[in-house]
Amino acid sequence: MLRLVITRLLSLAVTLLFVSLAIFLILEVLPGDPAAIMLGTAAREDTLAALRQELGLDQPALLRYLQWIGGILQGDLGQSITYKMPVSTLVAERMNVTLPLSLLAIVISTALALPLGVAAAAQRDGMVDRAVLVFSQLGVAVPNFWIGLLFILFFSTWLGWFPAGGFPGWSAGIGPALQALLLPAVALALPQAAVLTRVTRSATLEVIGADFVRTARAKGVDKGATLRRHVVPNALIPVTTILGLQLSFFFGGAILVENVFNLPGLGRLAYQALNQRDLVVIKDIVLIFSGLVIVVNFLVDIGYAILDPRLRSRA
Amino acid sequence: MTKRLLTAALLLSVSAIPAFAAKASLVVGMPIEPPGLDPTVAAPVAIREVTWVNLYEGLVRIDRTGKVQPLLAKSWEIAPDGLTYTFRLQEGVKFHDGSTFDSADVKFAFDRARDPKSTNAQKQIFAPIASIETPDPATVVIKLKEPSGNFLYYLGWGDAVIVAPETAATNAANPVGTGPFKFKSWSRGDRVELTKNPDYWQKDKVKLESVTFRFISDAQAQVAALKAGDVDAFPNLGAPELFAEFQKDKRFKAVAGNTEGETVAGMNNAKKPFDDVRVRRALMHAVDRKALIEGAYSGFGQPIGSFFSPNNPAFVDTTNVIPYDVEKAKALLKEAGYGNGLSITIKSPQMAYASRSAELLSAMMAEVGVDLKIIPTEFPAKWIEEVFKNKDYDVTIVSHTEPLDIDIFARDSYYFNYKNDKFKALIADAAKTTDEKARFAKYTEAQKILAEDVPALFLFQLPKLGVWNAKVQGLWENSPIPSNDVTEVSWTE
């Protein structure tokens, strides 16, 4: 188990290094001069040069890359070009929104998908199964931002139950903050829940057909107990894989949903930074997103080992 | 039981009485969040829309009709040669941090803006300055190298607001000015909150206790926020197709005004076939401006025939110089040797008005045998790189939002690649003309030259679709300068 953790950690570090290099190179070739964007079309050449110097954009690329990575290793994410403040502060502010939003979405999506998927599989072609198939088809087809728009129209504009967007901040209390996050979390969760339901259903069906389940039933274990003790634990492995993959979708999806609901999260910061070519902020956020996905995959790998004892000895 | 209910109802209604007093807070919606809150170091319009005359003040200001009015300078004299400006400053004015405003701050602010290291986006405003003297705390004498007809007008812009030496470096994140409102907080990505400045030098004018600017980029979300009452005013709504709905709704006041944004389809004048004025005129004849505005902006927006804002007192209507005329367009193209058709491209940014206009233009061009292919581009980053800097384009479309920017057609390296010595001399001459009437006459002539020479297809003035709660009064209907001046805004009742 320890060896598994160490090898996985090493590969995690190497992956992150390559990711950082890729991010840097992509931004190098991305058209757009941050100085020209800040100063607009009326700026004079000498003013642009002064700003480029102030931002350190006149330095050679290799030096800038090393400065960036060196800073990150020392816990310094650098200074935002547009906001003129430390990126770490900006990211911490935004994490207050994106992290709870994603967690809420994961909880909602899992809480919907697992019972529905198992229930559908337990009675294949039954009423529940048919309903689940129809709704999950719909959920997969409909994009989350569009669900978000419908929610705003229905729950905020017509019913007035929820704010039409924006975030009051945690200082306004847990209640209002959660109220602001609930609709976007559901919008974010539904398409993922649909995928997860289908995966759970097929994984459960596959296990239900397995020999050991038949054996258990033959031994006289009743249907419910077989499902709980033998089927669900084994079906969880593919479900965990998908859940791990989905986490990156939650962060990616947050970019769109946060824009629709006007939530000041990390995704919206990334979007704004990209428009403004705030290279420092983009680099950091993409690295953080990639880092999160890599770390989650690491955790999923470890999770396999815990769920499936065979993997422990193999590594 | 009934009695108790009645008492409860009575108590409730009594406690509700303060709600009938006039509201003193205002939530203003904006489509774009400003990157920083210092208008003296960056160009974006959104910075001015939060800060200009709300947080910071200049020596003079532009009023809602586009005219120059005194602000931190209560009066001024211009020497007959137009080279010496003597400003008498307001006394007893304090910055938000409690320090006193005087002539040294003016000198500091302008010296900082014209310094070689300055990153002021409109540095040319300060280029004519030869020296700044401060004979006493309430007087500033500015000497110019050459007469500058628009000098006073430019001093009213956000780029020329007065900042203090102690706080200038940190203004982007923590703005300190002399304005009617003080900076309270900025939840990045969501809102900026301002509170009334209790020491403001004209505090009798100010009715609001607090102002919140909320940033909502999605047009549907803007409409939803207005309808749900989360936002009291959206001075520049992003959803023209839903604006008419607000015009019918009695709860709202919906006003279609003008911005300073001339929407033009710029052409690469150095490149074939745009170096031929007949081709440029033909393309202009092919444009039905009215239909274009209908399709691109739901009919809001004034047609323009040249490059000048209708807000400006020197504006003349030139839309009839080259009117919509398909036959004439075809004849001109034939004369120029393109009778068998012409194939060109338009680089169209993602803004709704631009991409819709590009599609309509493409359809209109097809009517006269011109194949206008649309190439999408991203504004600002990619557009600035490809079109503005590298001039790698045939036709493009964008709205130029700076006030009084007709001189861009006189700049040598500007992306239009337009060269007209007569026009250039006229603009240089106008810039040096101190007499307002004479200067306006020159701008009128300049507008006519552009209308006839068509260096760009002049389409329409970007409208300012303002929607606000019907009980809010005092907001600007037009924006002769990018701003959301809330100094004198109040609630009725």
Side-chain angles (χ1 to χ4, degrees), chain B residues 475-492:
Chain B
L475 285 163
W476 289 19
E477 301 193 347
N478 297 308
S479 57
I481 181 164
S483 70
N484 284 312
D485 177 9
V486 288
T487 314
E488 295 180 64
V489 172
S490 64
W491 289 83
T492 54

Side-chain angles (χ1 to χ4, degrees), chain B residues 260-303:
Chain B
E260 286 296 303
E262 293 86 16
T263 310
V264 303
M267 293 177 279
N268 198 340
N269 284 257
K271 197 174 165 184
K272 267 191 185 318
F274 310 104
D275 55 346
D276 187 336
V277 69
R278 290 170 300 187
V279 173
R280 302 200 301 266
R281 282 183 185 150
L283 299 183
M284 191 75 259
H285 275 305
V287 177
D288 180 354
R289 293 187 183 92
K290 206 166 163 278
L292 184 90
I293 294 166
E294 196 56 53
Y297 232 103
S298 301
F300 302 103
Q302 187 172 335

